[in-house]
Amino acid sequence: MKRKASAAAAVIMALSLMTGCADKSGGNGSAVSANAVINLSEMEEAFKDIPDLEGEGAQISLSNTKAKPGEMAEVSISVHNVKKQWNMCGIHIIYPEILKPEMLDPAERTVAYTKGPALELATGDVCMEWQEGLPPVLTENKKGCIFLTAMFSENRGGEGEMATFKFKVPDNAEPGAVYQLGYFYMNTDLFINEQNIPSFQKYAFTHMQGGTITVE
């Protein structure tokens, strides 16, 4: 019970940081795709003293998709190689701010999404748009950000698609334009197993793969 209470507290803290209450933002064997993490050096610094995971761990990726100007582009975040080996996630996803996520409740800043098989057994999950107090590295690079978090009882996290979101492509988008999708790392972000092994989390974050939306 203590572990579950701590996990829930971590999610609440991460959500309050993400939604604008925070006053600051937050390895070896890295295989992060180019431009996938906008603050890569900060992430590498956070994991520099944590040993590498033996073998392969979580492979988190964003999809490469296409849409016409004015359409809603479907973007999925997926995880592989860790079926029923993980317990909780908290991930910031970034995108050009001219793309607008489909909202479930704008007043509550909750983002609409369809759960995939990886979150089928989740005991709780939510996605929110970070609207206020974004760090300069995001505002200066004209990036929007949403935060997805989910938790499970024991290591029941699945694999495959975690969630699918929709982003509105501008009506005046140029055919052939490519919008880059990636991540923003904060030290409150999570991808952990019930044993809370630091190397497990390090592998997940240092091997993230970005995605794209290409305008047709």
Side-chain angles (χ1 to χ4, degrees), residues 50-64:
I50 296 174
D52 292 340
L53 184 71
E54 294 184 8
E56 295 187 358
Q59 301 282 350
I60 297 172
S61 63
L62 291 163
S63 59
N64 296 299

Side-chain angles (χ1 to χ4, degrees), residues 15-209:
L15 278 170
S16 47
L17 284 169
M18 184 281 297
T19 52
C21 297
D23 58 5
K24 60 182 178 180
S25 66
N28 294 333
S30 172
V32 177
S33 61
N35 300 319
V37 181
I38 197 169
N39 55 338
L40 181 60
S41 60
E42 287 86 348
M43 186 183 73
E44 290 178 337
E45 177 68 18
F47 292 117
K48 69 177 183 179
D49 295 325
I50 296 174
D52 292 340
L53 184 71
E54 294 184 8
E56 295 187 358
Q59 301 282 350
I60 297 172
S61 63
L62 291 163
S63 59
N64 296 299
T65 188
K66 296 180 180 181
K68 293 181 173 63
E71 288 186 343
M72 300 297 288
E74 291 192 350
V75 173
S76 296
I77 181 170
S78 301
V79 62
H80 294 280
N81 208 41
V82 285
K83 185 175 182 179
K84 293 192 176 178
Q85 296 179 45
W86 61 284
N87 173 259
M88 181 182 296
C89 70
I91 302 170
H92 288 83
I93 300 166
I94 58 172
Y95 48 89
E97 64 180 14
I98 59 174
L99 302 177
K100 302 302 179 184
E102 182 180 39
M103 303 299 291
L104 178 65
D105 187 336
E108 295 293 328
R109 295 177 284 184
T110 52
V111 177
Y113 63 98
T114 301
K115 286 202 298 187
L119 299 190
E120 182 179 0
L121 299 179
T123 56
D125 53 271
V126 67
C127 184
M128 298 182 70
E129 183 183 22
W130 192 355
Q131 296 179 348
E132 300 173 355
L134 278 73
V137 70
L138 293 183
T139 56
E140 291 171 3
N141 286 281
K142 300 185 184 304
K143 298 293 186 181
C145 186
I146 59 177
F147 180 76
L148 174 70
T149 184
M151 60 187 303
F152 299 81
S153 173
E154 302 177 344
N155 287 330
R156 294 184 179 177
E159 65 177 7
E161 291 183 358
M162 300 168 70
T164 299
F165 316 95
K166 292 182 179 180
F167 291 89
K168 174 70 161 53
V169 176
D171 294 333
N172 61 351
E174 292 287 338
V178 179
Y179 299 114
Q180 299 290 333
L181 310 170
Y183 311 91
F184 176 76
Y185 176 78
M186 292 181 67
N187 58 14
T188 50
D189 286 357
L190 299 166
F191 193 88
I192 60 175
N193 52 19
E194 194 175 30
Q195 295 76 26
N196 199 16
I197 300 171
S199 296
F200 181 87
Q201 177 160 273
K202 176 184 177 179
Y203 190 101
F205 282 108
T206 58
H207 287 76
M208 288 174 145
Q209 298 293 309

